[in-house]
Amino acid sequence: MEKLSKLDQQLCFEVYKASSNFTKMYARVLEPFELTFTQYLVLLVLWEGDRLMAKEIGARLGLGIGTLNPIISRMEAAGWLSKEQSPEDKRASIISLTEKAKGSHDPIEAAVADKLVSCNFMEDVNAIALMKNLKELNAFFKEMNL
């Protein structure tokens, strides 16, 4: 019987590896659209509700504004987003989807779904239970103010 190293017994390491593997898988799927995984996450937030303050997007994704601003700037330069100054707060920006982003929603989502189906992800892993457990874990960490 193979003896597991201390590293291989760490939940944090398995979560880290799973996160890394998801990022790589999504990077391959998103490459034809010239999007990064993080840019895709920004689009997901805006597809749920367009015209959001940058800080709202950051809060949803757990990203600070210093991390998010360069991502938004690259997406704006690539034609995915538009940015305008908030009329209520001159220091804040309202981020909106462009027609390119709106029109790419279905093809991007189809590419992601096709990849997940081709990986037999739903058959090999109890995705519903995994999602529930990860949500509980993240809620626990949020309660701890981490």
Side-chain angles (χ1 to χ4, degrees), residues 7 16 20 27 33-34 38 50 60-61 68 70 74-75 86 88 90 96 98 105 125-126 133 136:
L7 179 63
Y16 167 77
S20 178
F33 301 98
E34 298 180 352
T38 309
D50 198 4
R60 288 281 315 275
L61 298 176
L68 186 60
R74 285 191 296 274
M75 293 180 77
S86 168
E88 293 87 33
K90 301 297 182 203
S96 302
T98 61
H105 177 259
V125 175
N126 186 339
N133 290 337
E136 289 171 357

Side-chain angles (χ1 to χ4, degrees), residues 10-66:
Q10 300 298 311
L11 176 61
C12 62
F13 185 57
E14 289 305 317
V15 170
Y16 167 77
K17 288 191 314 185
S19 175
S20 178
N21 287 323
F22 262 109
T23 302
K24 288 175 193 172
M25 180 184 72
Y26 274 83
R28 284 189 212 110
V29 172
L30 298 169
E31 188 175 17
F33 301 98
E34 298 180 352
L35 286 168
T36 66
F37 179 60
T38 309
Q39 290 171 339
Y40 170 68
L41 296 178
V42 170
L43 288 176
L44 282 177
V45 170
L46 288 165
W47 284 329
E48 288 179 11
D50 198 4
R51 295 191 49 77
L52 295 176
M53 302 284 276
K55 65 182 177 181
E56 293 174 285
I57 297 168
R60 288 281 315 275
L61 298 176
L63 297 174
I65 204 70

Side-chain angles (χ1 to χ4, degrees), residues 83-104:
K83 181 168 58 171
E84 64 187 77
Q85 192 175 56
S86 168
E88 293 87 33
D89 182 353
K90 301 297 182 203
R91 297 167 296 160
S93 298
I94 297 172
I95 310 302
S96 302
L97 296 167
T98 61
E99 289 306 314
K100 174 183 177 177
K102 292 174 186 175
S104 297

